[in-house]
């Protein structure tokens, strides 16, 4: 047996985002017991999933744990990645494949988000936070981000926590910022729920900079990056994927017959 891990990042047209993805995985690799560890991208960057999978096989992998570096479970995790894996697996039918789950909802995430805020300013009991997700037509994404917002509210002294999205879901970020500008709120934290930089982070900054906030405090937190809590949770997902023998984290029919005990 020769174990490999194939890390699948989303991908971005922004070169810095690709560099950040490799740097993030470089922090993970020493904590994972696998002889082969490769990085690939779902879209917008190279290497592709097919290239990453093939690289693992070329290095002698007999078992590949495929782990998506995604914050929430939506179409990418449920169908896009499994469909691509089904295609590439057909070329290597003897390779045993297991599939990991995204980060998902975890109470530890609230502590990470509080850290992101206090890096910018003190949190007052009059402060509100805006948790900004990428967005998806999959309602699981809306539900999960709302749950994370609720956990954050419960573990902080914030007056209120709002959830909004940049694309494909409501409420929309641009409308929420407009509503807040016309409100009486004076202490606002905007938290991009994104792992890396990219066009969406630029969109957040540009939207906020359209307004003149005067002496009101609006703090845009950094994206999540290699925060220790995010690294810890992702390493847990990797180890789960290596040990996944019961289909618990298989989202479609594409991998199920490969997740029997070995």
């Amino acid at each position: 047996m020769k174990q490999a891990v194939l890390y699948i990042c989303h991908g971005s047209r922004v070169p810095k985002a690709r560099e950040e993805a490799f740097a993030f995985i470089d922090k993970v690799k020493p904590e994972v017991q696998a002889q082969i560890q490769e990085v690939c991208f779902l879209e917008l960057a190279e290497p592709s999933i097919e290239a990453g999978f093939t690289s693992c096989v070329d290095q002698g992998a007999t078992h590949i744990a495929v782990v998506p570096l995604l914050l929430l479970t939506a179409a990418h995790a449920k169908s896009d990645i499994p469909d691509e894996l089904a295609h590439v697996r057909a070329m290597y039918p003897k390779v045993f494949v297991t599939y990991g789950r995204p980060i998902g909802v975890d109470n530890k995430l609230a502590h990470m988000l509080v850290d992101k805020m206090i890096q910018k300013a003190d949190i007052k009991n009059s402060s509100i936070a805006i948790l900004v997700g990428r967005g998806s037509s999959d309602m699981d994404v809306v539900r999960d981000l709302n749950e994370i917002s609720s956990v954050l509210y419960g573990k902080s002294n914030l007056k209120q926590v709002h959830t909004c999205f940049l694309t494909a879901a409501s409420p929309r970020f641009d409308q929420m910022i407009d509503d807040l500008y016309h409100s009486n709120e004076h202490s606002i934290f905007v938290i991009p729920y994104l792992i890396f930089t990219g066009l969406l982070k630029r969109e957040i900054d540009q939207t906020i900079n359209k307004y003149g906030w005067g002496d009101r405090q609006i703090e845009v937190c950094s994206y999540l990056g290699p925060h220790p809590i995010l690294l810890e949770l992702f390493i847990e997902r990797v180890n789960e994927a290596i040990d996944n023998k019961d289909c618990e984290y298989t989202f479609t029919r594409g991998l199920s017959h490969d997740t029997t005990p070995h």
Side-chain angles (χ1 to χ4, degrees):
M1 172 182 170
K2 196 168 186 179
Q3 180 71 57
V5 176
L6 180 62
Y7 303 99
I8 302 182
C9 305
H10 183 277
S12 172
R13 294 185 179 89
V14 178
K16 185 181 177 185
R18 182 177 180 274
E19 295 166 7
E20 289 174 349
F22 278 111
F24 186 100
I25 299 301
D26 282 344
K27 293 180 181 294
V28 172
K29 287 180 178 180
E31 308 302 321
V32 174
Q33 298 299 313
Q35 297 150 289
I36 302 163
Q37 300 185 56
E38 292 291 332
V39 182
C40 65
F41 297 90
L42 174 61
E43 59 186 6
L44 305 175
E46 297 292 337
S48 65
I49 292 175
E50 180 175 339
F53 195 101
T54 299
S55 178
C56 291
V57 175
D58 288 347
Q59 293 174 69
T62 58
H63 295 64
I64 302 177
V66 178
V67 190
L69 179 50
L70 300 172
L71 290 168
L72 301 169
T73 303
H76 285 330
K78 293 177 181 178
S79 56
D80 297 341
I81 293 173
D83 287 350
E84 182 62 24
L85 288 173
H87 163 73
V88 71
R89 277 187 55 258
M91 298 185 286
Y92 307 104
K94 294 183 179 180
V95 176
F96 185 99
V97 179
T98 57
Y99 188 36
R101 56 178 176 149
I103 299 294
V105 178
D106 191 291
N107 286 349
K108 296 176 186 175
L109 292 166
H111 299 294
M112 174 181 67
L113 299 177
V114 169
D115 281 350
K116 289 293 175 181
M117 287 187 286
I118 62 178
Q119 287 171 10
K120 301 295 292 187
D122 291 335
I123 302 172
K124 309 167 187 172
N125 56 16
S126 60
S127 300
I128 67 168
I130 313 299
L131 192 58
V132 187
R134 178 185 297 271
S136 171
S137 57
D138 188 326
M139 291 308 296
D140 285 349
V141 168
V142 177
R143 180 202 65 206
D144 288 352
L145 200 62
N146 282 333
E147 185 174 345
I148 293 167
S149 292
S150 296
V151 175
L152 173 60
Y153 176 74
K155 292 185 179 296
S156 68
N157 65 334
L158 289 160
K159 183 175 80 171
Q160 200 166 16
V161 179
H162 297 283
T163 304
C164 61
F165 301 90
L166 292 162
T167 61
S170 295
R172 294 293 294 268
F173 171 68
D174 53 357
Q175 184 60 56
M176 180 157 290
I177 291 299
D178 190 71
D179 290 346
L180 285 172
Y181 179 73
H182 292 96
S183 74
N184 293 321
E185 301 295 346
H186 279 264
S187 177
I188 304 166
F189 290 90
V190 177
I191 311 171
Y193 204 67
L194 308 167
I195 304 178
F196 307 121
T197 191
L199 298 179
L200 294 177
K201 176 59 169 62
R202 292 180 185 177
E203 180 180 339
I204 290 172
D205 294 336
Q206 289 169 356
T207 300
I208 291 170
N209 290 337
K210 289 178 183 177
Y211 297 87
W213 296 93
D215 61 355
R216 299 164 71 185
Q217 180 188 46
I218 181 162
E219 302 287 355
V220 182
C221 301
S222 66
Y223 46 93
L224 306 181
H227 189 281
I229 289 175
L230 194 63
L231 287 166
E232 175 190 345
L233 291 173
F234 185 64
I235 291 165
E236 288 179 10
R237 301 294 174 264
V238 176
N239 290 325
E240 288 170 354
I242 291 173
D243 295 334
N244 178 11
K245 304 177 180 68
D246 59 6
C247 304
E248 183 177 355
Y249 311 128
T250 301
F251 298 118
T252 78
R253 72 283 172 199
L255 302 174
S256 59
H257 66 279
D258 276 333
T259 51
T260 52
H262 56 282

